[in-house]
Amino acid sequence: MQVTAMADPTPRLRQARAALALSFLLQGTTFALLVTCIPELQDRYGLSDSLLPVFLAAVPILAGVGSIGSETLVKRTTARGVLRVVQPALCLTLALTGLGSRLWELAVALGLFGLLVGALDASMNMLGVGLQHRYGRSIMIGFHAAFSLGGILGAVIAGLGAHWDAGLPVLFGGAAIVLVPAALVVGRRFAGPAELGDAVREAAELAARRVPWRPLLPLCAAMAFAYIADASVSNYSVKYLTDGLGSREDLAKLSYLGYMVAMLLGRAVGDRAVQRFGAMPVVRAGASLAGAGFLIAALAPAGWTGILGFTVLGFGICAIIPQVFAAGGRLLPHASDAAVARLNLFNYAGFLIGSPLVGTLAELSSYRWAFCAPMLLILAILPLARHFAPTGEQRIPDQGREELRGAAVGPGKDRVTPQ
């Protein structure tokens, strides 16, 4: 598909792009602080291992509700307006999560966190899509790399807090003191209607139009499997090292840190690997490497080996998720935004399944056996890898294209295929 690119983005658009990248970084930091401190949250609130999967599963459910609700708010205001309010509120909610002591207080705090993170995710990606339309080329991977960098920062802060035994009120409260003003300052530079025009509205309308589900189903499955694996690491890697391998809490934080560092480094070279070897070999190699990472972690005799396993897993999985979006854009070239929107739904589905799956299996047996489930699912991407190949055989048939005529882009519209 032909891409119409801007010859020279204006300084204001560059500022808006940098501001949104910083917003992704702040989100990654906030999220990493929460998920790497799950053992401390359990100790503080007396949350049992049997109830933990229930609490963790509620977060993506409420995130979906928040994402849907934000779409209504964006129609009445703007994506910039929603993001300016939601991101500082999410940082305040992180502080609230560390202040309580009763189980119902944790439920309320995590419920608010889920609603806000869903609204934040939706509004950030709306702005990202709008900027991508104005740039005329793919820039979304850079935003997600910023999220990975924020995850590294959050894991480092959590590790230092555990090392110095800071406690959740000091750790989360201190982080919020920095994150809230940063979110307020960054929000002043977000792109608005003057910079984006109708780009956000056009992308939303296109995503809402009818596209066939059937050709996307293999990619939807790959997306769900990848996010089940990601949820397993996010929610249980630190807990596995502390409870399963007897590691110190500060050392256990390195499991998520290694995972996010590997994700960032892998995404930095992923596009070049795809250009040289092709999408299908990269996805197959990534799935195999991720499966090996799970195996190393599950068989780990001590904490450092477990950290190695999760780091290997990060290198493997980093290539899969961006290529799912790219393959969807190639598969439905006349409605790539709609395809991306459909595929993104399975982000939440993967988190919803992954959190209780590993937690329940660990409760019934052990974390070593529990990690075998996401390992098998990530390896199930291997036979699906052929759907990532940019060949004529993988494109939809002519009758499927007829269904997309309503979603086709008219003359003069800037269109972007995800890369």
Side-chain angles (χ1 to χ4, degrees):
M1 152 174 262
Q2 297 296 321
V3 176
T4 304
M6 289 186 65
D8 185 19
T10 64
R12 178 67 186 92
L13 277 179
R14 293 194 186 98
Q15 290 178 0
R17 180 182 178 183
L20 188 59
L22 287 172
S23 179
F24 271 85
L25 184 145
L26 293 176
Q27 187 208 18
T29 303
T30 306
F31 184 76
L33 280 167
L34 181 72
V35 298
T36 54
C37 291
I38 287 176
E40 290 92 330
L41 287 170
Q42 281 191 275
D43 292 340
R44 182 174 182 84
Y45 289 94
L47 181 62
S48 66
D49 287 344
S50 58
L51 276 179
L52 178 61
V54 177
F55 276 70
L56 294 179
V59 174
I61 293 175
L62 291 171
V65 174
S67 180
I68 294 171
S70 70
E71 293 179 10
T72 302
L73 292 175
V74 166
K75 291 177 183 178
R76 296 181 178 180
T77 58
T78 61
R80 176 178 63 179
V82 173
L83 184 53
R84 280 176 169 177
V85 173
V86 168
Q87 187 148 50
L90 181 70
C91 299
L92 285 174
T93 304
L94 177 68
L96 180 64
T97 305
L99 292 176
S101 58
R102 300 176 182 177
L103 207 54
W104 69 266
E105 293 174 321
L106 178 62
V108 170
L110 288 180
L112 287 174
F113 191 92
L115 288 170
L116 291 171
V117 81
L120 177 66
D121 181 57
S123 55
M124 280 199 314
N125 281 287
M126 287 177 190
L127 279 181
V129 169
L131 282 170
Q132 183 165 272
H133 273 246
R134 285 296 172 255
Y135 265 74
R137 55 186 172 86
S138 177
I139 60 174
M140 289 295 289
I141 293 177
F143 294 137
H144 289 274
F147 176 88
S148 299
L149 183 59
I152 294 169
L153 179 61
V156 169
I157 295 171
L160 292 174
H163 179 74
W164 294 105
D165 196 21
L168 291 183
V170 173
L171 179 62
F172 287 176
I177 290 173
V178 177
L179 292 172
V180 172
L184 292 172
V185 171
V186 166
R188 295 172 61 86
R189 293 296 181 179
F190 290 148
E195 295 80 29
L196 299 181
D198 292 330
V200 173
R201 178 185 58 78
E202 290 168 1
E205 290 177 353
L206 183 61
R209 293 179 182 177
R210 184 169 178 257
V211 297
W213 270 104
R214 185 174 179 180
L216 287 174
L217 290 179
L219 298 176
C220 291
M223 177 69 85
F225 296 159
Y227 270 105
I228 288 171
D230 184 75
S232 302
V233 180
S234 299
N235 293 322
Y236 291 105
S237 61
V238 175
K239 189 166 177 59
Y240 169 54
L241 260 69
T242 55
D243 294 2
L245 300 181
S247 301
R248 303 189 318 270
E249 288 185 351
D250 55 348
L251 177 65
K253 310 294 186 190
L254 296 179
S255 60
Y256 189 72
L257 175 62
Y259 176 72
M260 293 305 291
V261 169
M263 290 273 280
L264 178 62
L265 294 177
R267 283 171 174 169
V269 300
D271 287 334
R272 294 181 182 177
V274 170
Q275 291 168 8
R276 180 172 182 179
F277 301 108
M280 184 169 63
V282 168
V283 169
R284 282 178 173 164
S288 301
L289 196 59
F294 268 124
L295 185 62
I296 293 170
L299 298 177
W304 283 108
T305 310
I307 292 169
L308 172 64
F310 291 121
T311 302
V312 171
L313 173 57
F315 275 116
I317 204 172
C318 71
I320 297 172
I321 295 171
Q323 288 309 307
V324 171
F325 287 122
R330 289 193 299 266
L331 191 65
L332 304 178
H334 299 293
S336 60
D337 292 314
V340 169
R342 291 281 179 89
L343 292 168
N344 193 53
L345 293 175
F346 289 82
N347 167 352
Y348 293 113
F351 266 97
L352 180 59
I353 295 170
S355 297
L357 176 66
V358 173
T360 302
L361 291 176
E363 182 72 12
L364 295 174
S365 55
S366 68
Y367 281 106
R368 294 184 187 277
W369 287 105
F371 281 127
C372 291
M375 180 185 71
L376 293 175
L377 290 174
I378 205 73
L379 291 175
I381 294 176
L382 289 172
L384 299 175
R386 63 187 180 86
H387 295 278
F388 290 79
T391 62
E393 291 81 3
Q394 300 304 321
R395 292 184 178 270
I396 59 174
D398 291 339
Q399 59 268 31
R401 295 184 190 278
E402 294 294 327
E403 299 180 21
L404 296 175
R405 284 184 175 178
V409 177
K413 299 280 188 180
D414 289 350
R415 293 290 292 110
V416 180
T417 300
Q419 300 300 318

